[in-house]
Amino acid sequence: MSEDRIAALEARLGLLEDERAVARAMASYGPLVDGGDSEGVAALWAPDGVYDIDEIFLAGRERVRGMVDSPAHRGWIRQGCAHVVGPPHITVDGDEAVAVCHSLMVVHEEGRYVAVSYTHLPGPTASWTGARSRPRCWSPEYAANRPRPADRPARSAAAVTGPGAPPR
């Protein structure tokens, strides 16, 4: 096998490993936050990372940790809740990545389970923008959860451009 071919295979494998690492970080949020693991949730973020949730803006790991430990969140855990993240569309460009996905939170209210739906959209309120802190280790620098208004359709992965975007 030629040196060029080996280098190309290594680059493709590295991209797949990066995408997998981002997907695993995103997928770990739900089980960690639903289990009340505030340290584990906070460790997902870059030290000065931001979590912008609807009307709540959390800057830094300490604020993320505090959200998980808050009386409101502990109440959801006691009553039963589940954060569910759909498969992300991930674009990796060097040491930066952007991931777009759908998510929802299921909460137990008044004897029934209710789904609170969110759509992660790219743009001014990027869904998950991360940076590599070491090989194959990604932490969000900025993550946003925004409810999708009923009159605004969700953007498809085809609307996402950049390296790794699907062909149009």
Side-chain angles (χ1 to χ4, degrees):
M1 206 179 274
S2 74
E3 292 291 322
D4 290 343
R5 187 168 175 178
I6 290 172
L9 286 171
E10 287 175 345
R12 288 173 57 198
L13 177 59
L15 178 62
L16 291 171
E17 289 175 337
D18 286 338
E19 290 174 356
R20 178 72 175 144
V22 170
R24 288 180 62 88
M26 291 180 76
S28 66
Y29 175 80
L32 289 170
V33 76
D34 293 338
D37 184 348
S38 60
E39 293 297 324
V41 173
L44 292 174
W45 264 257
D48 58 351
V50 169
Y51 193 18
D52 188 357
I53 315 163
D54 204 11
E55 70 280 349
I56 302 169
F57 186 86
L58 307 170
R61 286 180 176 162
E62 189 60 36
R63 298 285 308 275
V64 172
R65 185 180 301 109
M67 179 270 302
V68 178
D69 289 336
S70 72
H73 193 270
R74 292 293 173 180
W76 284 327
I77 292 171
R78 277 191 305 280
Q79 293 174 358
C81 69
H83 291 74
V84 182
V85 176
H89 176 271
I90 302 165
T91 302
V92 176
D93 186 10
D95 284 343
E96 295 184 3
V98 175
V100 179
C101 70
H102 293 281
S103 71
L104 62 84
M105 178 178 167
V106 178
V107 296
H108 190 250
E109 292 180 353
E110 301 173 9
R112 62 191 180 108
Y113 286 94
V114 179
V116 180
S117 181
Y118 295 93
T119 299
H120 298 263
L121 300 171
T125 55
S127 62
W128 189 98
T129 304
R132 186 186 341 240
S133 59
R134 57 186 186 276
R136 309 296 172 248
C137 183
W138 292 85
S139 296
E141 294 176 332
Y142 184 85
N145 276 342
R146 292 277 178 251
R148 181 177 54 83
D151 64 346
R152 188 176 76 200
R155 292 178 59 183
S156 70
V160 178
T161 60
R168 292 184 183 238

